[in-house]
Amino acid sequence: GSHLCKRLLEEGNRVICVDNFLTCDRRNIETISGNEHFSVIEHDIIDPLFVDEEIDQIYNLACPASPVQYQKNAIRTIKANTIGVINMLGMARLKGARFFQASTSEVYGDPLEHPQQEHYRGNVNPIGPRACYDEGKRCAETLCFDYHRSHQLPIKVVRIFNTYGPHMAVDDGRVVSNFIIQALRNEPITIYGDGSQTRSFCYVRYLVDGFIRMMNSEESLHGPINLGNPNEVTVKALAERIVALTGSSSEIVYKELPQDDPTRRKPDISVAKEKLGWTPEVSLDEGLTHTIAYFKTVL
């Protein structure tokens, strides 16, 4: 969100940031907090919100994205994706604004199709420990399309695959931040499972570019559209690259794979390429180098 706010300000927009700061560090917006075109409202979208200004676009990124964070309060996570999304869709309808929903590759669950295309309906466990997020985001997509069909609300839905970069929390709990922090501290690097499971990591700058392209695309393009890096790597290979890039003495240790953790994850981004002219360009090593440099400043 902080990266998106900065980019929107650079493009000359007036930006109102709404955050409850439960999983976000206020330092992430320090460099833009003095901008006269930027303001912050500390608020949880589970509660109704009224903004007495003209609004033409709403980007809804409100929800913890790390399993560690969204499982801390599963009910609140579901509420953010249902009650919170209803509140924001209502605001979009009231203001006549376009509504952007940040959905997730987790709607595909532990996929039986590989790579994942947008028409794939997923393999999600609706009663598992990850369901608060997986099913919550699936319901959020449903709400967006129902508001579009019922009220002709202009919607834009993207499904985000694994993203990383500066401003991730130290206690975020996702593999990139976990591995970097453990490597910088020369602690054992913890892999859950045997490390053969795959992810496709997109550097945050390119993800934000995809957001803005989607929001400003022709009105008839609603999505959902996959946004992510199609270069698939194993979790073990990621750990080894981070050890090499940090010069760490960390050893890799293995623990049991959590329930319903996807074994393969790779986006088919053909639609994003065709409709948005979008593709991520930065290499994994380059993106990791920038992210490692950031974590060195906050540890």
Side-chain angles (χ1 to χ4, degrees):
S2 58
H3 295 274
L4 176 62
C5 288
K6 183 178 180 181
R7 172 73 180 274
L8 291 171
L9 288 168
E10 288 172 351
E11 295 185 356
N13 295 285
R14 160 92 173 109
V15 177
I16 303 167
C17 169
V18 179
D19 204 311
N20 61 11
F21 293 100
L22 289 181
T23 60
C24 170
D25 192 324
R26 293 176 189 272
R27 289 177 296 180
N28 291 352
I29 55 174
E30 275 184 353
T31 59
I32 56 175
S33 59
N35 190 310
E36 63 179 344
H37 300 296
F38 180 70
S39 61
V40 179
I41 299 173
E42 186 169 349
H43 183 85
D44 191 321
I45 64 165
I46 294 171
D47 300 317
L49 172 67
F50 181 77
V51 177
D52 191 18
E53 290 191 46
E54 290 185 10
I55 296 172
D56 58 2
Q57 296 181 346
I58 296 174
Y59 287 86
N60 183 41
L61 281 61
C63 182
S66 155
V68 171
Q69 297 294 342
Y70 65 63
Q71 290 177 27
K72 278 183 180 178
N73 192 328
I75 294 172
R76 194 182 193 112
T77 298
I78 294 171
K79 284 183 175 180
N81 286 307
T82 52
I83 298 169
V85 171
I86 289 170
N87 284 337
M88 292 297 97
L89 286 164
M91 176 181 284
R93 187 182 176 204
L94 176 67
K95 299 291 187 178
R98 283 190 174 194
F99 185 83
F100 176 100
Q101 173 63 20
S103 190
T104 173
S105 59
E106 294 293 335
V107 301
Y108 300 124
D110 189 3
L112 303 178
E113 172 185 293
H114 191 81
Q116 293 81 57
Q117 295 180 307
E118 289 86 352
H119 62 71
Y120 177 53
R121 296 183 181 179
N123 178 39
V124 177
N125 177 4
I127 60 171
R130 301 170 69 99
C132 59
Y133 186 72
D134 301 0
E135 295 288 14
K137 288 289 191 176
R138 285 162 70 95
C139 186
E141 287 193 15
T142 301
L143 286 165
C144 288
F145 281 88
D146 283 340
Y147 266 75
H148 170 66
R149 285 186 286 261
S150 298
H151 304 300
Q152 294 73 55
L153 186 72
I155 61 167
K156 304 287 180 179
V157 179
V158 300
R159 291 174 177 165
I160 303 168
F161 283 67
N162 298 80
T163 303
Y164 70 100
H167 296 180
M168 295 181 80
V170 171
D171 61 351
D172 180 81
R174 284 175 280 191
V175 287
V176 171
S177 54
N178 277 2
F179 290 176
I180 290 175
I181 290 162
Q182 289 170 336
L184 290 175
R185 291 173 172 168
N186 292 308
E187 298 172 348
I189 289 183
T190 307
I191 290 180
Y192 294 92
D194 63 6
S196 64
Q197 65 269 37
T198 66
R199 297 292 185 267
S200 303
F201 297 99
C202 182
Y203 190 62
V204 64
R205 181 170 73 244
Y206 293 99
L207 183 74
V208 167
D209 181 65
F211 284 2
I212 293 173
R213 287 176 185 240
M214 181 61 171
M215 176 63 95
N216 296 300
S217 63
E218 60 186 53
E219 189 164 323
S220 61
L221 183 62
H222 310 301
I225 289 182
N226 291 337
L227 292 181
N229 192 328
N231 295 319
E232 183 181 14
V233 298
T234 66
V235 171
K236 182 180 179 182
L238 173 71
E240 291 170 344
R241 289 308 305 144
I242 288 173
V243 169
L245 289 168
T246 56
S248 175
S249 61
S250 295
E251 296 181 353
I252 296 175
V253 298
Y254 297 88
K255 294 188 177 181
E256 185 178 353
L257 189 70
Q259 181 183 340
D260 301 327
D261 194 65
T263 55
R264 299 193 76 184
R265 182 61 55 73
K266 176 182 178 179
D268 183 316
I269 61 169
S270 301
V271 177
K273 286 181 178 179
E274 178 188 351
K275 301 293 186 181
L276 304 177
W278 179 87
T279 184
E281 298 174 10
V282 72
S283 70
L284 181 60
D285 275 10
E286 183 183 349
L288 288 175
T289 299
H290 291 310
T291 309
I292 289 165
Y294 166 75
F295 275 112
K296 285 180 176 178
T297 68
V298 297
L299 289 181

